[in-house]
């Protein structure tokens, strides 16, 4: 490998490790967080930042500009679909929360008596 | 330890665990979601084995569209009843499954020594088929009869679903965000579907994958309320559905009467005929799959 290629190869490691960290953190958040909103928060971090860092790291290692462009396009598409899906899921959750609060106020076992 | 071996072992364990969880979970909705994840993992496995055609088909149809169909069926069905199979049924299915497993092992075992004669046979006749991708050559030339029957099966499935007269899904008013997103996705699905269709002659891709991607675009648009109801009694809709089988049968019959035989393309015309069949089949598959998921089942008598 030539000198700049070696330099690029080693400089990709922080990005790849950062991506792995965000994916791990997102997965743990998905499993451990209490409600839908904070789970969505955790998962979308993995989708956008984790995948972005992985793509950046892999771009530094890739052989051709075509591969770089393809990976960046994939990242853009996943980021857009993740953001949209997150908004839709959060909105669905909020509507079902308000629906259940309006239609059956005493259904919850520990609901405060007013 | 070898990193690839580690990845493969994790994939296999995940597949088996997902299959078991899909079968044994209590709630129907959880089972459907697990089944979709199982399909995605299966697609990854096919890609890992080098079968990119199968991976594309599995991701688009097995995980994507079948998942949507199962969710749509779940939305239309009433509250689920917890049923347990009687022991006799369980015993019978265990017996049947072990017999199937024996058959399967007998069929798959020769492949382990890489001694299958078929790939060499296909590659030696590839030049005569009219296309340069071996999978497409098998699907649309050497074993075109199978592909024709697959299209007929899809048609029968659509007709069967129409006979059931399932009630329409009550689609809620779509949120503006979903509408904006589907406006962005639909052109993408047309571009990707067209690319998969065009690619099919020389690389992984083809009618089924392209049709599934196009259908996904149509379904998203319909769910967002941007497409009018897909009505069966509008004749272009029926023409699109029947077009694939009709063109395939016409070419097959023409070959039988005028040429060398049933589904035997005349030399030199192979590429043109295969391309025509692929285009008609893509349209037919796209419309059929969309109708299966979001078709309007009400008959409107004129």
């Amino acid at each position: 490998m030539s000198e700049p290629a070696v330099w690029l190869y080693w400089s990709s490691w922080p990005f790849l490790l950062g991506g792995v960290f965000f994916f791990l953190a997102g997965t743990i958040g998905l499993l451990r967080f209490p409600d839908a909103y904070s789970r969505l928060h955790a998962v979308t971090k993995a989708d956008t930042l984790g995948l972005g860092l992985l793509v950046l790291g892999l771009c530094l290692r890739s052989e051709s500009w075509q591969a770089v462009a393809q990976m960046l396009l994939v990242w853009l598409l996943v980021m857009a679909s993740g953001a949209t899906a997150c908004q839709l899921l959060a909105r669905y959750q909020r509507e079902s929360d308000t629906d259940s609060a309006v239609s059956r106020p005493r259904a919850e076992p520990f609901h405060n008596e007013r | 330890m070898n990193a690839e071996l580690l990845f493969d072992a994790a994939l296999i364990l995940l597949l088996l665990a997902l299959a078991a969880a899909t079968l044994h979970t209590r709630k129907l909705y959880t089972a459907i979601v697990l089944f979709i994840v199982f399909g995605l993992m299966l697609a990854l496995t096919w890609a890992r084995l080098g079968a990119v055609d199968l991976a594309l088909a599995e991701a688009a149809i097995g995980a994507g569209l079948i998942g949507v169909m199962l969710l749509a069926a779940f939305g239309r069905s009433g509250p689920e009843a917890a049923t347990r199979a009687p022991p006799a049924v369980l015993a019978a299915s265990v017996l049947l499954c072990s017999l199937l497993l024996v058959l399967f092992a007998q069929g798959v075992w020769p492949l382990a020594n890489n001694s299958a004669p078929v790939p060499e046979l296909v590659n030696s006749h590839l030049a005569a088929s009219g296309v340069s991708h071996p999978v497409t050559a098998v699907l649309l030339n050497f074993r075109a009869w199978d592909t024709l029957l697959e299209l007929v099966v899809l048609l029968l499935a659509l007709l069967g679903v129409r006979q059931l007269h399932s009630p329409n899904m009550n689609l809620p008013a779509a949120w503006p965000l979903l509408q904006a997103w589907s406006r962005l996705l639909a052109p993408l699905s047309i571009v990707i579907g067209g690319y998969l269709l065009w690619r099919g002659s020389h690389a992984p891709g083809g009618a089924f994958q392209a049709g599934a991607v196009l259908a996904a675009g149509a379904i998203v648009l319909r769910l967002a309320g941007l497409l009018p109801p897909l009505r069966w009694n509008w004749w272009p809709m029926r023409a699109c559905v029947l077009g694939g089988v009709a063109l395939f049968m016409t070419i097959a019959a023409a070959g039988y009467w005028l040429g060398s035989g049933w589904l035997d393309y005349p030399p030199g015309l192979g590429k043109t005929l295969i391309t025509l069949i692929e285009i008609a089949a893509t349209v037919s598959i796209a419309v059929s799959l969309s109708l299966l998921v979001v078709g309007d089942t009400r008959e409107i008598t004129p």
Side-chain angles (χ1 to χ4, degrees), chain B residues 80-98:
Chain B
E80 55 192 291
T83 50
R84 293 193 70 83
V89 174
L90 276 179
S93 50
V94 165
L95 188 68
L96 201 63
C97 282
S98 39

Side-chain angles (χ1 to χ4, degrees), chain B residues 15-32 34-35 38 80 82-85 90 93-94 97:
Chain B
L15 262 184
L16 290 176
L18 277 170
T22 307
L23 287 177
H24 291 289
T25 186
R26 292 281 163 137
K27 290 172 79 174
L28 204 51
Y29 180 75
T30 321
I32 294 173
L34 284 172
F35 181 75
F38 174 77
E80 55 192 291
T83 50
R84 293 193 70 83
L90 276 179
S93 50
V94 165
C97 282

Side-chain angles (χ1 to χ4, degrees), chain A residues 77 80-81 84 87-88 91-92 95, chain B residues 175-178 181 184-185 188 192:
Chain A
L77 196 62
S81 77
T84 315
Q87 292 286 326
L88 291 175
R91 187 161 179 171
Y92 177 77
E95 289 203 349
Chain B
W175 295 323
L177 179 64
L178 182 60
W181 179 234
L184 203 65
L185 270 187
L188 267 181
I192 296 174

Side-chain angles (χ1 to χ4, degrees), chain B residues 52-298:
Chain B
V52 187
D53 284 277
L54 268 176
L56 281 171
E58 178 62 38
I61 301 176
L65 269 165
I66 293 187
V68 172
M69 275 184 213
L70 288 175
L71 284 176
F74 179 75
R76 284 170 180 163
S77 66
E80 55 192 291
T83 50
R84 293 193 70 83
V89 174
L90 276 179
S93 50
V94 165
L95 188 68
L96 201 63
C97 282
S98 39
L99 285 178
L100 277 177
L101 202 63
V102 170
L103 275 181
F104 181 69
Q106 275 180 345
V108 166
W109 190 246
L111 297 178
N113 330 321
N114 270 334
S115 60
V118 178
E120 285 168 27
L121 205 61
V122 169
N123 280 327
S124 62
H125 289 82
L126 196 56
S129 73
V131 287
S132 56
H133 184 49
V135 175
T136 312
V138 171
L139 284 181
L140 284 155
N141 197 331
F142 307 141
R143 307 281 308 190
W145 189 219
D146 297 4
T147 310
L148 174 57
L149 288 183
E150 272 174 32
L151 286 177
V152 173
V153 165
L154 188 62
L155 184 64
L156 286 179
L158 180 60
L159 294 178
V161 167
R162 288 188 44 73
Q163 297 306 311
L164 290 177
H165 284 290
S166 56
N168 279 323
M169 264 190 301
N170 291 319
L171 292 177
W175 295 323
L177 179 64
L178 182 60
Q179 291 186 334
W181 179 234
S182 58
R183 279 202 182 95
L184 203 65
L185 270 187
L188 267 181
S189 85
I190 292 176
V191 170
I192 296 174
Y195 174 67
L196 282 174
L197 174 62
W198 167 78
R199 224 175 107 92
S201 69
H202 59 274
F208 271 88
Q209 292 92 333
V213 172
L214 286 177
I219 290 166
V220 167
L221 277 182
R222 177 72 195 109
L223 290 180
L226 295 173
L227 269 190
L230 306 176
R231 284 183 298 117
W232 176 256
N233 57 2
W234 189 49
W235 69 265
M237 193 76 75
R238 296 196 301 268
C240 284
V241 169
L242 291 173
V245 176
L247 184 74
F248 216 148
M249 295 273 256
T250 312
I251 287 174
Y256 183 70
W257 284 320
L258 309 172
S260 38
W262 179 257
L263 281 172
D264 209 357
Y265 310 126
L269 273 179
K271 174 140 187 145
T272 320
L273 291 179
I274 287 178
T275 313
L276 277 178
I277 292 175
E278 286 255 46
I279 293 172
T282 304
V283 174
S284 161
I285 290 165
V287 177
S288 304
L289 291 176
S290 320
L291 281 172
L292 275 176
V293 181
V294 289
D296 192 11
T297 48
R298 253 176 322 195

